[in-house]
Amino acid sequence: VPFKGYVVGGGLVPVSDLPDICPDEFDGLGDFVFLTAVSGQISGLGETTVDIYTGIYFSDIVDGDDVVTLRQLDIYTAANGDEVWAYSTSVATWVPNSEGGISFPSQDIIGIESTICGGTGRFEGAEGSYEFLVRIDGTVLEAWFDGTISTVGSRGGNGKK
């Protein structure tokens, strides 16, 4: 079934606790992890909130290089509380900020492939993938995505590690 939508929101809130979802591929998300909350309309979910956990390993940041690898876990929560879980890896341009951390200048990050790795309720055991475009403008994040998700409730298991 189609998995399409548009979400918008903002903020980069540092976090230390990560959700226990998705693949064994991620041994943590990084040395610095932040949460961005967005919301919007998603096919099959309706009005949806999305918690985006994005991590960076400082060892990935090379002096003089303005590109960093981002590891991401996403939790899509439908109005009824059912969740869809996904993960991805992408790259983005960064700049140092005055607080000794990093900031992301306005940019488009295109062609990111995400993998759906489970969920709760009617999305328990869901599988699928989608490609998305992310636009960062200051602390505002917009994302458009298009892909597919396995038939609701068609698989067993919960997708957890």
Side-chain angles (χ1 to χ4, degrees), residues 118-119 123-127 150-151 153-160:
F123 301 107
E124 187 173 335
E127 296 177 344
S150 63
T151 305
S154 67
R155 303 192 186 282
N158 67 6
K160 292 183 93 160

Side-chain angles (χ1 to χ4, degrees), residues 10-26:
L12 304 174
V13 179
V15 295
S16 56
D17 294 328
L18 295 176
D20 184 21
I21 62 170
C22 285
D24 295 326
E25 295 174 31
F26 287 131

Side-chain angles (χ1 to χ4, degrees), residues 118-133:
T120 64
R122 68 186 190 274
F123 301 107
E124 187 173 335
E127 296 177 344
S129 63
Y130 55 94
E131 184 174 297
F132 65 102
L133 162 93

Side-chain angles (χ1 to χ4, degrees), residues 65-129:
D65 190 359
D66 63 352
V67 175
V68 66
T69 300
L70 305 175
R71 291 162 186 85
Q72 184 172 306
L73 293 174
D74 303 328
I75 301 175
Y76 294 81
T77 305
N80 73 347
D82 289 354
E83 296 178 352
V84 173
W85 305 330
Y87 67 93
S88 64
T89 302
S90 62
V91 295
T93 302
W94 68 280
V95 293
N97 66 27
S98 60
E99 291 84 38
I102 64 171
S103 298
F104 296 97
S106 296
Q107 62 188 295
D108 288 348
I109 307 170
I110 58 174
I112 302 168
E113 291 286 334
S114 276
T115 301
I116 296 170
C117 57
T120 64
R122 68 186 190 274
F123 301 107
E124 187 173 335
E127 296 177 344
S129 63

Side-chain angles (χ1 to χ4, degrees), residues 56-71:
I56 300 165
Y57 282 102
F58 292 127
S59 60
D60 288 347
I61 299 174
V62 179
D63 286 340
D65 190 359
D66 63 352
V67 175
V68 66
T69 300
L70 305 175
R71 291 162 186 85

